[in-house]
Amino acid sequence: MWVLGVTERRVMGAFWVLNLVLFLVQVVGIKGAHGIGEHGVRIWPMPLSVSHSHKSLYVGKDFKIMSQGSKYKDASGILKDGFSRFLAVVKGAHVVDGDTSKLDQSRVLQGLNVFISSTKDELQYGIDESYKLLVPSPDKPTYAHLEVGLTILFILFAINQAQTVYGALHGLQTLSQLCQFNFSSRVIEILMTPWIINDQPRFSFRGLLIDTSRHYQPLPIIKNVIDSMAYAKLNVLHWHIVDTQSFPLEIPSYPKLWDGAYSTSERYTMADAAEIKRGINVLAELDVPGHALSWGKGYPSLWPSKDCQEPLDVSNEFTFKVIDGILSDFSKVFKYKFVHLGGDEVNTSCWTLTPHVSKWLKEHSMNESQAYQYFVLQAQKIALLHGYEIVNWEETFNNFGNKLSPKTVVHNWLGGGVAQRVVAAGLRCIVSNQDKWYLDHLDTTWEQFYMNEPLTNITKSEQQKLVIGGEVCMWGETVDASDIQQTIWPRAAAAAERLWTPYDKLAKEAKQVTGRLAHFRCLLNQRGIAAAPLAADTPLTQPGRSAPLEPGSCYLQ
């Protein structure tokens, strides 16, 4: 492929000319698709703005990626790997054995140019995830003055904003949804070009929780979940690693902790944990002081007593040394800004029933509730010393919200109204109310997932900004590797659009997006993700994890 050796300045100048041309083209007749699935737009989640026309293009056999004029050097291979995954999903549904050399070459795309203005590739909360995707029609000769030897131009640019490789990865996901297999030519085609897509997320935190304590999830399954998250532009994997039932993670500082795993083969090494990212932030959770019985399998002194094993022993300094060691090991692998310290469902009766703990409480003039507060705040201090900001379940706020570190994010799960109180108190909040966004609640429909609004009754803009996003929760009591994906999808996708798409672009009624979500569900199936049908609740099935009711097309189930 011939590429002109233009300078970055000339490329940027050409970019501005192209934008002027595109504006004129839009004015004289490109259809706008700004509504919910208007004019055949099937992208999920719906972007900020979309324009397209009616031409078709073909993807060349040797479709390449380039970075003409880009500041980003991709030293760590993030963009290269993302492009490889893009090609894999685009070509994965069918054998692409057509010969593009026999097609009209003016309609064959030879490659993709990615322009990224930021040199950094740190994956972190609050990074710029915006992108602009331009897929021009081949019969627009005015595009040739760009001096780029490509037919597609994919540009990441926004005035006064630094664009990142992670915005580019989102753009690749969108581009992949524009591609489809042509059964006549046996090649990949893109319909309705030229496409002009501007996009950015509504919330910076768009999460999915998985629980590997109630059921162990093998590493390939977790990676598969992460890939499926990227398809829907979810960006945080909340890893509820340990709980009462098992402690599957290696902790080098305290190597006996994973004696609490179900078996010696149902474990994760720290090297395994480092593999769980792939362009997704990992929010690791260490749920304390409750939900921690499994810790004592390796270190029984963490229990208040042999007969009363939960919550962790608040009176024992060793308890906090272990938490410090765990968070020290976490900090070497989990680089996300936040760590989740749990704090929910703490039954403190063990502390008063155990003589040495009860004695400690009296010596420190504490009752059970005060000891609970003491434990949570001590854990917070340790996390802060390791450079983390903290997420805690909402019970901590409900009981002693004014004592929490100002660097706390309160994770709402019990019900409505909590987020309002949290942001009114000046703290940040993540919304996961269980009646709408708990995936293990199999009777909750995808429509309910779609219509759950994180900013309900929060009207002040400064308080709305404190809601950093939301999360759907796949608790593990009834899921393992055999059914996790069909329980997550497509309902998680409904929430994903709520968290990505601007509020005024969202459907006012869920039924308006039924066809588009069904198409996305079928796309997931084509990519090897076992997403369940959108079937309504019937006496024979439930909305979550349902099976097809009868023979028929994927798109109608």
Side-chain angles (χ1 to χ4, degrees):
M1 183 184 302
W2 178 58
V3 181
L4 293 176
V6 296
T7 64
E8 182 177 321
R9 179 180 175 184
R10 292 172 66 193
V11 171
M12 291 302 297
F15 167 74
W16 290 113
V17 175
L18 173 61
N19 270 286
L20 175 61
V21 173
L22 290 174
F23 172 76
L24 294 174
V25 172
Q26 285 180 277
V27 169
V28 298
I30 292 180
K31 297 177 181 178
H34 302 291
I36 307 300
E38 293 180 358
H39 308 296
V41 176
R42 298 182 299 192
I43 302 167
W44 194 282
M46 182 62 74
L48 173 65
S49 69
V50 182
S51 292
H52 66 88
S53 187
H54 59 278
K55 304 293 183 179
S56 62
L57 302 174
Y58 300 102
V59 175
K61 180 180 179 181
D62 297 317
F63 191 73
K64 295 179 174 65
I65 189 170
M66 298 187 65
S67 54
Q68 189 72 36
S70 179
K71 295 179 180 179
Y72 180 70
K73 302 306 180 185
D74 200 28
S76 55
I78 295 171
L79 183 59
K80 180 182 177 182
D81 291 346
F83 185 69
S84 296
R85 291 194 296 273
F86 160 79
L87 291 177
V89 298
V90 166
K91 297 181 178 181
H94 299 281
V95 176
V96 182
D97 57 357
D99 187 354
T100 54
S101 68
K102 296 180 180 180
L103 301 173
D104 179 356
Q105 292 304 293
S106 69
R107 298 174 61 194
V108 176
L109 303 175
Q110 300 301 329
L112 172 71
N113 191 65
V114 180
F115 181 90
I116 302 172
S117 60
S118 174
T119 60
K120 299 179 181 179
D121 59 12
E122 181 186 11
L123 179 61
Q124 194 48 266
Y125 170 78
I127 61 168
D128 195 321
E129 300 177 79
S130 63
Y131 67 91
K132 183 172 185 176
L133 176 62
L134 308 172
V135 188
S137 173
D139 60 353
K140 302 292 183 183
T142 52
Y143 289 30
H145 70 266
L146 274 172
E147 298 179 294
V148 178
L150 301 168
T151 313
I152 270 188
L153 180 64
F154 171 73
I155 296 181
L156 296 170
F157 187 88
I159 296 174
N160 296 325
Q161 294 185 12
Q163 307 297 334
T164 69
V165 66
Y166 300 102
L169 296 181
H170 292 318
L172 285 171
Q173 291 296 343
T174 299
L175 180 59
S176 75
Q177 291 191 37
L178 302 182
C179 298
Q180 66 180 46
F181 183 74
N182 184 306
F183 282 89
S184 297
S185 61
R186 308 295 176 92
V187 300
I188 304 300
E189 68 178 350
I190 302 177
L191 301 178
M192 302 192 301
T193 67
W195 288 92
I196 305 171
I197 299 173
N198 286 281
D199 206 6
Q200 63 185 36
R202 180 184 177 200
F203 292 101
S204 293
F205 186 106
R206 306 177 305 282
L208 166 68
L209 177 147
I210 63 168
D211 170 6
T212 59
S213 174
R214 275 56 178 257
H215 279 95
Y216 177 81
Q217 298 289 349
L219 188 61
I221 297 297
I222 296 177
K223 289 182 176 180
N224 187 248
V225 169
I226 289 173
D227 286 343
S228 66
M229 290 173 64
Y231 300 151
K233 297 186 176 70
L234 294 174
N235 70 337
V236 180
L237 179 74
H238 176 177
W239 189 9
H240 188 83
I241 306 170
V242 305
D243 208 292
T244 295
Q245 290 80 3
S246 73
F247 197 118
L249 181 65
E250 175 186 26
I251 301 297
S253 295
Y254 291 92
K256 293 183 181 180
L257 280 171
W258 70 354
D259 288 358
Y262 284 127
S263 69
T264 55
S265 62
E266 293 171 294
R267 290 172 166 177
Y268 307 101
T269 67
M270 272 294 176
D272 293 336
E275 282 283 303
I276 299 174
K277 44 187 179 180
R278 301 175 73 166
I280 298 290
N281 291 295
V282 178
L283 172 63
E285 181 176 357
L286 191 69
D287 197 349
V288 293
H291 293 277
L293 183 149
S294 61
W295 297 37
K297 300 292 180 65
Y299 297 95
S301 63
L302 293 170
W303 291 332
S305 72
K306 184 179 179 180
D307 299 320
C308 209
Q309 301 172 335
E310 224 171 27
L312 295 169
D313 190 344
V314 67
S315 72
N316 190 346
E317 278 301 312
F318 180 64
T319 299
F320 297 100
K321 289 181 179 178
V322 172
I323 292 173
D324 181 61
I326 294 172
L327 292 178
S328 176
D329 291 342
F330 273 20
S331 68
K332 297 177 178 66
V333 173
F334 302 119
K335 301 297 184 179
Y336 194 40
K337 179 178 181 177
F338 303 107
V339 68
H340 205 304
L341 295 179
D344 61 314
E345 298 180 320
V346 181
N347 181 350
T348 57
S349 60
C350 244
W351 289 343
T352 54
L353 294 173
T354 305
H356 79 271
V357 182
S358 178
K359 179 182 177 183
W360 182 90
L361 292 177
K362 291 177 181 177
E363 289 173 350
H364 290 78
S365 302
M366 291 186 194
N367 58 30
E368 294 175 51
S369 298
Q370 291 168 327
Y372 168 44
Q373 174 183 313
Y374 169 80
F375 197 114
V376 168
L377 297 184
Q378 285 297 106
Q380 285 201 340
K381 290 176 183 177
I382 295 169
L384 290 168
L385 289 174
H386 287 288
Y388 284 117
E389 296 186 23
I390 307 118
V391 183
N392 276 114
W393 293 110
E394 71 173 69
E395 288 96 323
T396 59
F397 174 81
N398 295 338
N399 284 279
F400 44 88
N402 62 336
K403 302 294 185 181
L404 294 172
S405 165
K407 291 188 176 182
T408 302
V409 179
V410 178
H411 198 161
N412 158 233
W413 73 279
L414 286 171
V418 177
Q420 290 173 258
R421 297 197 300 273
V422 170
V423 298
L427 293 175
R428 293 165 294 177
C429 188
I430 296 167
V431 174
S432 292
N433 46 315
Q434 62 174 334
D435 58 326
K436 297 294 192 298
W437 276 0
Y438 267 32
L439 292 157
D440 57 310
H441 291 200
L442 300 182
D443 57 346
T444 304
T445 66
W446 72 261
E447 291 94 340
Q448 290 173 296
F449 272 78
Y450 189 88
M451 297 306 295
N452 188 42
E453 172 51 46
L455 299 184
T456 297
N457 297 325
I458 302 174
T459 57
K460 296 180 179 179
S461 60
E462 64 272 17
Q463 293 183 356
Q464 289 180 344
K465 292 174 183 177
L466 292 174
V467 178
I468 67 172
E471 175 182 292
V472 291
C473 299
M474 184 65 271
W475 293 105
E477 285 87 350
T478 64
V479 297
D480 62 10
S482 69
D483 61 1
I484 185 170
Q485 289 286 39
Q486 69 187 86
T487 314
I488 292 173
W489 306 107
R491 292 181 301 159
E497 178 153 293
R498 175 67 53 172
L499 293 168
W500 177 275
T501 301
Y503 181 79
D504 61 355
K505 301 284 183 178
L506 293 165
K508 305 310 176 192
E509 297 181 13
K511 64 181 181 181
Q512 294 175 276
V513 304
T514 302
R516 189 161 52 87
L517 182 57
H519 180 272
F520 183 71
R521 176 255 168 171
C522 296
L523 182 66
L524 290 175
N525 286 174
Q526 292 169 13
R527 295 179 179 185
I529 306 300
L534 273 65
D537 194 7
T538 73
L540 300 177
T541 186
Q542 289 181 306
R545 205 158 67 206
S546 61
L549 299 176
E550 58 188 4
S553 167
C554 174
Y555 300 100
L556 299 178
Q557 295 177 338

